[in-house]
Amino acid sequence: AQSVTQPDARVTVSEGASLQLRCKYSYSATPYLFWYVQYPRQGLQLLLKYYSGDPVVQGVNGFEAEFSKSNSSFHLRKASVHWSDSAVYFCAVRPAGAKLTFGGGTRLTVRP
Amino acid sequence: EAAVTQSPRSKVAVTGGKVTLSCHQTNNHDYMYWYRQDTGHGLRLIHYSYVADSTEKGDIPDGYKASRPSQENFSLILELASLSQTAVYFCASSDWGGATLYFGSGTRLTVL
């Protein structure tokens, strides 16, 4: 079945540490790929998106993500996290001709 | 200034009652969406619309109706609210089907 999977429901890291949040999808063709962030009591905001081209895309606040066709993945990374990065992060996928589908989200806690 | 505004911010409803959630966008976008978010889960698409006076079913439309009387306004209607519809509801807009979604701050609905 076609799906978007974020295997880590919760991730805790220390401030200043590097971060990787995982996202895998199962679609036959390369879809549009997105990462959204949800801060407490707010709606989702776009961090970055991938449509085509360079597999590494830069986003806001120092985030980047790398698309891997061979692994059907779109992992989110940040070199050094800040306490304000604590939030829920959603990977989302839109296959051609289909609607946007969200993963279950990863709750990130950054310890001071 | 918030470009997607939802009202109310929170609501308590009784089982069997009628609930209307409203959404207004000033992005001049053609597409509008209603999602629900359950605790610890991702977002699931209920209804969407790409033109005024027309709505489309999403992935979980049962028990919900939608209305798009103008480009700016999109309502979600629960004719007979049920306990299982307790959730946070998000409205979003985009200028085309694959583009970035812009979200409102959400409506927390509790059905008792």
Side-chain angles (χ1 to χ4, degrees), chain A residues 3-41:
Chain A
S3 65
V4 182
T5 302
Q6 294 180 246
D8 305 308
R10 295 178 180 272
V11 170
T12 300
V13 298
S14 297
E15 193 166 27
S18 62
L19 171 71
Q20 177 174 277
L21 302 182
R22 296 182 290 165
C23 173
K24 297 204 70 172
Y25 61 90
S26 60
Y27 293 95
S28 55
T30 300
Y32 297 150
L33 299 161
F34 305 81
W35 275 98
Y36 284 85
V37 60
Q38 184 180 28
Y39 297 105
R41 295 174 297 281

Side-chain angles (χ1 to χ4, degrees), chain A residues 36 38 43 46 49 51 90 94, chain B residues 37 45 90 97-98 100-101 104:
Chain A
Y36 284 85
Q38 184 180 28
L46 181 72
K49 61 188 175 186
Y51 288 165
F90 291 96
R94 183 184 178 272
Chain B
Q37 182 180 37
L45 181 64
F90 287 99
T100 301
L101 268 64

Side-chain angles (χ1 to χ4, degrees), chain B residues 5-22:
Chain B
T5 305
Q6 294 182 232
S7 61
R9 287 297 305 270
S10 66
K11 182 172 181 65
V12 178
V14 295
T15 304
K18 182 177 180 178
V19 176
T20 300
L21 307 182
S22 299

Side-chain angles (χ1 to χ4, degrees), chain B residues 25-87:
Chain B
Q25 58 108 349
T26 58
N27 295 323
N28 198 34
H29 288 165
D30 287 328
Y31 283 76
M32 294 187 75
Y33 311 81
W34 277 106
Y35 288 89
R36 68 174 279 172
Q37 182 180 37
D38 297 280
T39 302
H41 295 277
L43 279 71
R44 292 181 290 170
L45 181 64
I46 307 170
H47 285 288
Y48 66 102
S49 167
Y50 53 84
V51 67
D53 295 321
S54 178
T55 63
E56 306 292 332
K57 293 181 179 180
D59 298 320
I60 53 164
D62 293 345
Y64 303 93
K65 288 172 54 179
S67 173
R68 181 95 182 267
S70 63
Q71 186 194 39
E72 298 80 16
N73 295 293
F74 192 37
S75 298
L76 185 69
I77 303 149
L78 291 66
E79 295 278 5
L80 295 169
S82 67
L83 296 174
S84 64
Q85 292 175 313
T86 292

